[in-house]
Amino acid sequence: MKKMKVLSTYLLAVMACLLCGTATSAQVNTGRVKGVVRDESGNPMPFVNILAKNSLTNLTSGTQTDSAGVFNFPRLPVEGSYAFIVSMMGFETQTLSGYNLKANTSTSIIVKMKSSLSALNEVVVVGYGTRRKSDITGSVAIVSEKDLTQGVNNNAMQALNGKAAGVYVSQSSSAPGGGVAIRVRGAGSINSSNAVLVVVDGMPGVDPASVSQDDIASIQVLKDASAAAIYGSRAANGVVLITTKKGAAGQMNISYNGYVGMQQLAKKIRLLTAPEYMQVLNEMSVAQGQAEPFSQRFRDSIGKGTDWQDEIYQTAMAQNHQLSFNGGAKNHKYYVGLSYLNQDGILKNTNYERYNARVNYDLSPSEKIDVTLALNISRTKSNQAYNQTGINENAGAINTALNFDPTISPLKDANGRYRQNPLIALENPLAIIYGITRSNVVNNTYGMLSANYRPVNGLTLTARVGADLSTGRLDAYNSRITQFGQSAGGIGSIDYADNTHWLMEYLARYDRRIGGHNLSLLVGTTAERYDGSSAGASSRMFLSDITYTYLLGSGDGVNGDNVSSSRNSNKLHSYLGRLNYEYRDKYLLTASFRSDGTSRFSDAHKYALFPSLAVGWNIHKEPFMQTAKAVSNLKLRFGYGQIGNQDIGNFATLQTYKAAGRAVFGDNLYQGVEPARLPNTALRWETTEEYNAGVDFGFLNGRISGSLEFYVKNAKDQLFSKPVPAFTGFPSQVVNFGNVRNKGMDFLLNTRNVEGKDFSWESSISLSLLKNEVTRLPDFIPQLLTGAFSFVPNFALVQTGMPIYSYYGYEVDGIFQTDQEAAASGQPGAKAGSPRFRDQDGNKSIDPKDRVVLGSPLPKVTWGFNNTFNYKKLSLNVLVLGVHDAYALDANIVESLYPINFQRNHMAEYYLDRWTPENPGARYPSGINASTYGGQYSVNSYTVQDVSFVRLKTLTLGYTFPLAGKTIKSINAYVAGDNLFTITGYNGYDPDANSRNAVARVAQNSYPLAKVYRLGMKLNF
């Protein structure tokens, strides 16, 4: 709390300084100017920049329109005439001149903005600079502030959902503060990271969860190698550029944006009810020649029993509040954003809370010098769910709720303890909810200080220094409420991490226009350093649970005590350059290179060069196209580039040592060491080579616009562990070998369907097609099979000709109806009621050679369809998402079909429609002696599920209130719903979930998706 008070005091001081810097002396003879800005359809336009310029005194003053499109200059000196310059990206700048004001009189202005040919003159951030949209030759997806996906978003990447073709955003966990996975044009790395590089205001590697969505001005995604090559060794999986808001010259504008929401479980998993559970277990016991475990009297006494999902889930609240200030004068501008997000989880005792403060300051002390500061401070605190991927006694609340005995009461027993079933080796779900806590606190500060100097016309020298500093502490405590905690006398642990990232950049850019030739040359060098350290401690057998983790030293000091620590560091040094050339705005060329050197590789391969080349042709500007009045934009683009992946760990090329056995020499005990690995000094970068061809189009003055792109993306020099002779003392060595190809199509279509005085309708469709294939593997690894967990065998296949990490298992083609049929099949242990696995090779025996590819984790088709309707002051926005031909292994289905314990509860579908002699046409096996067709056979076409879906992602209805007050300029109120319905054949919580956050998707006790209802308001002062 003391730190937060200091932070609050500091921010207030900064704001006071900024306000003082913009104060102006009172003017006696002043007039007021008030106006409204509308688009071509008559709709109000918020965030339009208005600059008032006095022709006599050269006085300038600026402001922005509010959500109703209204701007206001309350006091302008009447001396001299005024010109009002109205500008916004994507629209033609308008200058309204000759306004002479009268003292104490109000002047009204109505401005109608005209689209600048589908926003072709919009300035787009492309990495180490900006370009006009019409000049871009690479593949860049652009999502502006108004198009960001809304919702209870705790990660900036969620704002891209459904808005960019070729960009697949998956909510890997719907927990508060849960992870988000983003894939740009598939996945290319087999054993390294497939994560994108996130760059915020020029600072690479920033955690997007630390960015408040209300601070974002735009997001650009560099999708192809020609666009991303300027980021070299970290760009193989795509680059996401986040640009935050800046200040505008003029009086201070204050805005508030906030909502309060209610979250509900979107879908329950259908489990056996208590009566069904007892009936099924009785029937299955009799089928195995055993007595019924539940008497009729007991069954009558239980009644409906307990729905453990109802016990652990709740209706939860979420709220977000953002207060923003922006303004400035001719030579300085500022933006300050303060935000607070609090999201309770629908799983009880889970929560995410974030405080965020941002300051962006621009200072121009002279025409040749400008300085920019971008600073972000955030603090998050989350109460996390316990061990969502654990099993048996170590399982989390979701797993136990799905498997716990429904005949047991949720009430505590006479001893004040939660009730148990000693036969199922599971903790009571409520004991986990209330007895185990995991509190994680993360403090993050990152920023960039930049200085630009223009010594001569056309030349700009830039120096930047940046830092990203974060610390985290995880406190975990298992109290005596649980069985494990009671037997251990409480178990506590603390894990602490500290990570720093330092950056220095020196750039030079030269711009020159000679006749029809326009040249821009950028060169530079960068240096980065990453340092990380961690420490952990744990103990047990405490005097009381009251001390939590704050007195680890009060543990028994012997059993369960553990202390650990670590440190890591690496450096990156780079040279970069880019040439942009255009001739008469028709013929475009972009060439770039980046040479990266990293401390992770040996001297022989420390540096690697990543070049790119792209060309473009603005066909619509050719003379022969001038008669095609309907064509407002037509551009062809071709690009090629190489980008890298250096995410191999810090010491794969170096020999380091680790602690080994101990030995006694004389009377002393000595600690031994041994080599940690067999290093490979020839190890080099994974490299991705990509070809991209695209066409940008626009018709009817931009009413129809979009793009169509085709790409081929080859990732080569994959990292593999090669077996080595035993005499080396190691089983394997990391080497480069193997290729993966992603190829596909991205399509984007924007339309203004209706443009009326009172009614308008705009649509946007993004569509992506993807084919992923492993094209080459080393001879020593003809196939790679991995992914085993718990009691599930390896299932993720990497094999030439197949998608990366395909699901590999047995195909079910029916159920054996008789023991004789089963015996003749050659399927080991099969009986009547067992699933019949297809004999793929026809050798009358079911063995590992009969496994086939059951599906790919990467969707072949993804799309988003966004519609915005405006009627007078009303607005309606609808976003629908689709994901098709994607698969996941569902561990909960594995648990139901092949239970660890017969007494556990099950998913109802697999037992209410199970095979019995009386139900021979059942869809699922009998469940009798499931171990005979489980185990090595548990990965099959039952457990690998098609997770395709269509989802109504957001639905927002808003109303803008017309106001003429001096204090509040505008009010926009809205109601919204998120995840209102999902159409899918998948019967788990969420088809989009991935509990392992890897390419090979696994649904294992995934945190459920929430249906959200929000009530929000936007105010401008």
Side-chain angles (χ1 to χ4, degrees), residues 91 335 559 820 981:
F91 292 84
Y335 171 86
N559 297 316
Q820 292 76 12
F981 68 80

Side-chain angles (χ1 to χ4, degrees), residues 502-529:
W502 300 96
L503 167 72
M504 295 187 70
E505 295 179 340
Y506 301 96
L507 308 171
R509 190 184 78 244
Y510 182 71
D511 300 298
R512 182 72 183 272
R513 178 177 286 275
I514 304 174
H517 304 274
N518 191 16
L519 179 72
S520 179
L521 177 64
L522 170 74
V523 294
T525 182
T526 74
E528 299 177 57
R529 180 186 177 97

Side-chain angles (χ1 to χ4, degrees), residues 857-966:
L858 298 173
K860 292 183 179 179
V861 181
T862 58
W863 55 270
F865 186 29
N866 187 70
N867 285 275
T868 301
F869 306 89
N870 289 287
Y871 178 71
K872 294 185 177 180
K873 302 295 182 180
L874 280 172
S875 65
L876 176 67
N877 178 262
V878 183
L879 173 61
V880 181
L881 306 178
V883 174
H884 303 278
D885 209 355
Y887 291 80
L889 175 64
D890 194 316
N892 296 118
I893 297 178
V894 173
E895 171 68 17
S896 281
L897 286 174
Y898 320 107
I900 296 173
N901 188 290
F902 182 64
Q903 297 285 336
R904 295 184 178 184
N905 201 2
H906 312 288
M907 297 174 71
E909 176 182 355
Y910 302 100
Y911 285 84
L912 297 183
D913 190 18
R914 73 187 188 282
W915 184 94
T916 65
E918 297 76 29
N919 185 28
R923 184 178 178 185
Y924 300 106
S926 65
I928 304 298
N929 296 322
S931 60
T932 62
Y933 55 82
Q936 64 174 320
Y937 304 110
S938 60
V939 180
N940 54 55
S941 51
Y942 281 142
T943 56
V944 175
Q945 293 270 300
D946 186 340
V947 291
S948 303
F949 67 89
V950 174
R951 174 173 293 161
L952 177 57
K953 181 60 181 176
T954 61
L955 177 68
T956 305
L957 178 64
Y959 183 79
T960 300
F961 295 87
L963 295 176
K966 295 182 179 180

Side-chain angles (χ1 to χ4, degrees), residues 195-508:
V196 300
L197 173 67
V198 178
V199 182
V200 180
D201 291 333
M203 186 69 196
V206 171
D207 180 2
S210 65
V211 183
S212 171
Q213 181 168 323
D214 290 314
D215 288 334
I216 297 175
S218 66
I219 300 179
Q220 283 82 28
V221 184
L222 310 183
K223 298 191 296 181
D224 77 326
S226 70
I230 197 72
Y231 286 101
S233 64
R234 293 169 293 180
N237 304 306
V239 181
V240 177
L241 307 178
I242 299 177
T243 304
T244 59
K245 296 176 181 177
K246 305 293 184 182
Q251 64 185 40
M252 182 177 65
N253 293 300
I254 303 175
S255 63
Y256 165 81
N257 187 7
Y259 63 78
V260 175
M262 178 179 68
Q263 306 166 100
Q264 296 177 337
L265 183 66
K267 175 186 178 183
K268 288 174 62 176
I269 292 180
R270 172 71 165 93
L271 303 175
L272 293 173
T273 64
E276 292 170 341
Y277 168 82
M278 292 183 287
Q279 179 70 26
V280 166
L281 263 62
N282 278 352
E283 293 174 354
M284 293 180 68
S285 297
V286 170
Q288 297 178 80
Q290 302 172 3
E292 293 185 350
F294 302 106
S295 67
Q296 187 61 48
R297 182 177 180 181
F298 180 82
R299 294 171 64 181
D300 293 340
S301 69
I302 294 300
K304 293 182 178 180
T306 302
D307 186 330
W308 289 104
Q309 291 182 91
D310 288 344
E311 297 298 325
I312 67 169
Y313 297 126
Q314 64 180 353
T315 297
M317 300 299 294
Q319 58 178 312
N320 184 74
H321 307 280
Q322 169 94 12
L323 193 61
S324 303
F325 308 81
N326 81 81
K330 181 180 180 180
N331 63 343
H332 71 95
K333 306 178 185 67
Y334 64 87
Y335 171 86
V336 177
L338 306 173
S339 69
Y340 172 71
L341 170 66
N342 191 328
Q343 181 186 8
D344 291 328
I346 57 174
L347 177 66
K348 293 177 180 178
N349 206 26
T350 56
N351 171 269
Y352 179 81
E353 191 174 26
R354 183 183 69 196
Y355 299 87
N356 201 89
R358 167 168 290 278
V359 175
N360 288 341
Y361 187 70
D362 298 287
L363 175 66
S364 301
S366 72
E367 292 184 356
K368 292 189 174 184
I369 300 175
D370 57 70
V371 180
T372 299
L373 171 66
L375 179 66
N376 193 92
I377 303 172
S378 68
R379 176 181 173 87
T380 64
K381 180 178 180 180
S382 58
N383 293 316
Q384 302 174 345
Y386 170 71
N387 203 8
Q388 289 179 246
T389 57
I391 61 171
N392 297 335
E393 293 88 347
N394 292 316
I398 295 175
N399 178 274
T400 57
L402 296 178
N403 292 281
F404 205 67
D405 187 343
T407 67
I408 291 179
S409 170
L411 302 177
K412 294 180 180 179
D413 62 18
N415 298 318
R417 300 196 61 78
Y418 288 105
R419 303 170 192 267
Q420 307 290 338
N421 181 337
L423 300 177
I424 62 176
L426 287 174
E427 183 59 79
N428 186 295
L430 292 179
I432 297 173
I433 291 289
Y434 298 114
I436 301 178
T437 56
R438 291 173 56 84
S439 177
N440 190 38
V441 177
V442 177
N443 296 300
N444 177 253
T445 300
Y446 65 87
M448 177 82 78
L449 179 64
S450 305
N452 295 319
Y453 175 57
R454 292 172 288 276
V456 296
N457 186 34
L459 178 63
T460 303
L461 305 178
T462 301
R464 297 175 180 169
V465 58
D468 185 358
L469 316 174
S470 67
T471 61
R473 170 171 164 158
L474 173 63
D475 289 65
Y477 193 79
N478 191 337
S479 74
R480 290 171 172 83
I481 293 176
T482 68
Q483 297 179 81
F484 197 14
Q486 184 185 35
S487 64
I491 306 168
S493 66
I494 297 175
D495 292 291
Y496 178 83
D498 182 275
N499 293 285
T500 62
H501 173 201
W502 300 96
L503 167 72
M504 295 187 70
E505 295 179 340
Y506 301 96
L507 308 171

Side-chain angles (χ1 to χ4, degrees), residues 556-668:
D556 67 358
V558 180
N559 297 316
D561 279 15
N562 185 37
V563 177
S564 63
S565 63
S566 68
R567 179 183 180 275
N568 64 82
S569 178
N570 69 85
K571 301 175 183 178
L572 186 70
H573 178 227
S574 309
Y575 300 96
L576 60 92
R578 180 172 59 214
L579 170 67
N580 293 106
Y581 170 78
E582 64 181 63
Y583 178 66
R584 299 192 182 279
D585 290 336
K586 291 187 293 185
Y587 311 112
L588 314 169
L589 181 144
T590 302
S592 71
F593 79 90
R594 181 164 179 140
S595 176
D596 276 340
T598 177
S599 60
R600 289 175 166 173
F601 292 98
S602 66
D603 291 341
H605 299 280
K606 191 175 295 293
Y607 280 87
L609 181 67
F610 303 99
S612 75
L613 178 67
V615 294
W617 179 21
N618 280 319
I619 303 175
H620 67 284
K621 293 189 176 182
E622 294 289 355
F624 62 80
M625 289 294 295
Q626 301 313 302
T627 57
K629 300 298 182 182
V631 180
S632 51
N633 177 38
L634 185 61
K635 178 169 69 174
L636 291 179
R637 296 181 283 108
F638 299 93
Y640 165 81
Q642 292 183 352
I643 42 185
N645 190 339
Q646 56 131 3
D647 193 7
I648 66 165
N650 287 336
F651 305 111
T653 64
L654 302 175
Q655 184 59 275
T656 60
Y657 295 85
K658 62 182 180 180
R662 297 181 180 184
V664 176
F665 293 95
D667 295 329
N668 298 318

